[in-house]
Amino acid sequence: MAFCTKCGKQIPDGNTLCDECAAKQSSNSFFKWNGKDESSSFDPTDIQNNKVMAVLSYIGIFVLIPIFAAKNSPYARYHANQGLVLFIVEVIWGIFCSILNLCLGLLRIFGLLFWIVSTVVNAILGILSLVFLALVIYGIVNAATGKAKPLPVLGRFTLLH
């Protein structure tokens, strides 16, 4: 499922021009984002019937439930894509933080200065991790209220079609 980068209308797969506004579309389907509310391009019945699946998309590993159980719902699939991208980035962030904490932990044996530096770095990483919580809440609120708004920054990536 593709959406026009100019007007947000759904575009059939393979089309390079939007039927609504005639805007040329990018051929790169992995990287697209328009930042607009795309709710009007989904069937209201589909939205109503699949809100729970859409909400599950943003709760970590539970993203697999809508991916497999609601694969015929464009609304659930839209949110499952965003939830999957968010989950993958969270896992990468977790691995990065773990490796950095291991390295900082090794430096702590050298004295108070290294201990202070590692504590400050850990505090900064913790605060940055709150961004993921904010994105989860944003996605859940949109899914529960029947909206299809892309996540900031991460909403431009498409893994599920």
Side-chain angles (χ1 to χ4, degrees):
M1 143 178 50
F3 296 94
C4 177
T5 56
K6 183 176 179 185
C7 71
K9 185 179 184 298
Q10 189 169 356
I11 300 172
D13 289 338
N15 281 16
T16 57
L17 293 177
C18 174
D19 296 335
E20 185 74 21
C21 68
K24 184 173 170 111
Q25 301 303 304
S26 170
S27 61
N28 185 354
S29 64
F30 176 73
F31 188 77
K32 61 184 176 188
W33 186 68
N34 60 18
K36 296 180 184 175
D37 187 352
E38 302 168 358
S39 306
S40 61
S41 63
F42 295 98
D43 179 29
T45 307
D46 180 32
I47 292 173
Q48 192 61 36
N49 292 340
N50 290 290
K51 281 184 181 179
V52 172
M53 289 294 179
V55 168
L56 286 175
S57 299
Y58 296 99
I59 306 174
I61 196 72
F62 290 135
V63 69
L64 295 175
I65 296 171
I67 287 174
F68 294 112
K71 59 177 117 182
N72 295 327
S73 166
Y75 181 71
R77 199 98 174 136
Y78 174 87
H79 286 286
N81 177 73
Q82 293 199 120
L84 181 61
V85 171
L86 180 59
F87 179 66
I88 290 169
V89 172
E90 287 174 329
V91 168
I92 292 168
W93 177 255
I95 292 169
F96 169 76
C97 288
S98 296
I99 292 170
L100 190 58
N101 278 327
L102 178 65
C103 294
L104 291 172
L106 294 174
L107 289 176
R108 286 182 187 161
I109 61 174
F110 292 113
L112 181 62
L113 178 63
F114 289 107
W115 184 84
I116 292 171
V117 169
S118 67
T119 303
V120 170
V121 170
N122 279 328
I124 292 169
L125 292 176
I127 291 169
L128 290 175
S129 295
L130 291 176
V131 170
F132 293 111
L133 177 61
L135 290 172
V136 166
I137 292 169
Y138 181 80
I140 288 174
V141 168
N142 282 333
T145 58
K147 293 186 176 130
K149 290 183 178 180
L151 292 174
V153 181
L154 300 179
R156 65 183 72 177
F157 298 101
T158 303
L159 300 177
L160 302 174
H161 295 280

